[in-house]
């Protein structure tokens, strides 16, 4: 009797243990599959993020190149416009200074634009030693304007250019004869755009 019970118990334990092992193996298999699925999901997500990053950078480069080409096109168009008198006649004072600065840069000068307020009649400084004043008013510049210009820098800089888009009164040429000042009107500005650098009589 006891022997039969022991045999039955052993058999029951064997089958129970085997079933538990199968359950554990099945659970481990499911966990392993889930782990692989999650790893694949993470990889796909990383690949998606990387593809988006590459596409975004490519779009940014293309946008930068497009803006660069547009800027170059506008600058080329402006260069042609700067060779026309009508372009300069149509500018306001501050715009004239900005555009003139581009002309000086094209000629190879290192340019510094002074602040609009408290500039003492000096709008640009070229190569640290040449001062420039710009006027784009309907009337011609007269001698008192030149005297104020001369007084503002004669002790601090070497040379000056007074640019008056609409020209100068008759007495101005005579007044600057013995001074290192060039008088430039719109024709001179156009010539600078065409490559003629300012020259002083030393």
């Amino acid at each position: 009797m006891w022997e039969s019970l022991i045999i039955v118990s052993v058999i029951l334990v064997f089958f129970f243990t085997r079933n538990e092992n199968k359950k554990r193996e099945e659970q481990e298999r499911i966990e392993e599959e889930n782990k692989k699925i999650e790893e694949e999901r993470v990889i796909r997500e990383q690949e998606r993020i990387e593809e988006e990053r590459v596409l975004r950078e490519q779009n940014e480069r293309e946008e930068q190149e497009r803006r660069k080409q547009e800027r170059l096109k506008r600058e080329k168009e402006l260069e042609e416009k700067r060779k026309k008198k009508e372009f300069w006649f149509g500018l306001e004072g501050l715009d004239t200074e900005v555009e003139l600065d581009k002309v000086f840069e094209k000629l190879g000068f290192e340019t510094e634009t002074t602040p609009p307020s408290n500039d003492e009649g000096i709008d640009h400084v070229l190569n640290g030693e040449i001062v420039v004043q710009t006027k784009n008013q309907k009337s011609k510049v007269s001698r008192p304007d030149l005297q104020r210009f001369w007084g503002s820098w004669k002790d601090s800089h070497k040379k000056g250019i007074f640019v008056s888009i609409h020209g100068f009164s008759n007495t101005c040429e005579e007044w600057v004869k013995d001074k290192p000042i060039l008088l430039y009107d719109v024709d001179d500005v156009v010539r600078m755009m065409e490559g003629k650098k300012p020259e002083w009589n030393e």
Side-chain angles (χ1 to χ4, degrees):
M1 178 71 178
W2 285 107
E3 290 178 355
S4 296
L5 284 173
I6 290 171
I7 291 171
V8 169
S9 296
V10 168
I11 292 171
L12 287 173
V13 167
F14 171 77
F15 279 104
F16 178 78
T17 303
R18 192 177 70 172
N19 285 339
E20 284 300 308
N21 286 340
K22 282 186 176 180
K23 285 182 182 178
R24 188 175 63 254
E25 288 173 358
E26 178 66 14
Q27 182 65 31
E28 288 175 353
R29 186 187 65 78
I30 291 172
E31 289 177 356
E32 185 67 25
E33 285 184 356
N34 289 339
K35 182 180 177 183
K36 286 182 179 179
I37 290 171
E38 178 62 18
E39 287 175 349
E40 289 174 356
R41 187 195 67 78
V42 169
I43 290 172
R44 285 197 303 272
E45 180 66 13
Q46 289 174 340
E47 288 175 346
R48 184 189 66 79
I49 292 172
E50 178 65 13
E51 286 175 0
E52 288 182 352
R53 183 190 67 79
V54 170
L55 183 61
R56 187 170 59 250
E57 289 180 353
Q58 180 181 343
N59 289 338
E60 288 174 356
R61 286 195 299 271
E62 289 175 355
E63 179 65 14
Q64 288 174 355
E65 181 63 23
R66 185 186 66 79
R67 290 180 180 175
K68 178 183 175 183
Q69 293 303 323
E70 285 184 355
R71 189 170 63 251
L72 290 173
K73 182 181 177 182
R74 285 197 303 271
E75 183 58 33
K76 190 173 181 180
E77 289 172 351
L78 270 175
E79 280 203 13
E80 291 305 312
K81 287 182 178 179
R82 292 186 193 115
K83 295 177 182 178
K84 310 289 185 184
K85 294 181 184 181
E86 295 75 16
F87 171 77
W88 296 97
F89 289 140
L91 296 177
E92 299 292 333
L94 190 57
D95 291 332
T96 306
E97 293 179 23
V98 171
E99 291 298 327
L100 195 60
D101 206 54
K102 301 291 185 183
V103 177
F104 288 128
E105 286 180 354
K106 184 177 173 65
L107 288 174
F109 289 105
E110 292 182 12
T111 67
E112 176 189 350
T113 305
T114 59
S117 60
N118 195 30
D119 60 10
E120 297 183 338
I122 297 173
D123 299 315
H124 315 266
V125 180
L126 311 180
N127 294 348
E129 61 179 24
I130 303 167
V131 296
V132 182
Q133 183 170 358
T134 305
K135 291 281 188 187
N136 195 353
Q137 57 195 23
K138 300 300 180 185
S139 58
K140 293 183 177 183
V141 163
S142 60
R143 194 171 77 175
D145 293 315
L146 293 179
Q147 290 171 328
R148 283 191 293 272
F149 174 60
W150 172 242
S152 68
W153 61 269
K154 64 179 181 179
D155 297 323
S156 58
H157 293 81
K158 295 181 178 181
K159 303 171 184 176
I161 306 174
F162 201 119
V163 179
S164 172
I165 298 300
H166 290 266
F168 300 85
S169 63
N170 294 333
T171 58
C172 291
E173 286 284 353
E174 184 65 29
W175 190 80
V176 299
K177 272 187 177 179
D178 60 343
K179 298 175 181 63
I181 300 175
L182 298 179
L183 303 183
Y184 272 22
D185 61 14
V186 69
D187 292 316
D188 297 296
V189 172
V190 169
R191 279 192 283 270
M192 282 198 294
M193 261 310 297
E194 292 171 345
K196 183 171 174 53
K197 294 190 73 168
E199 295 179 358
W200 287 261
N201 293 323
E202 300 296 342

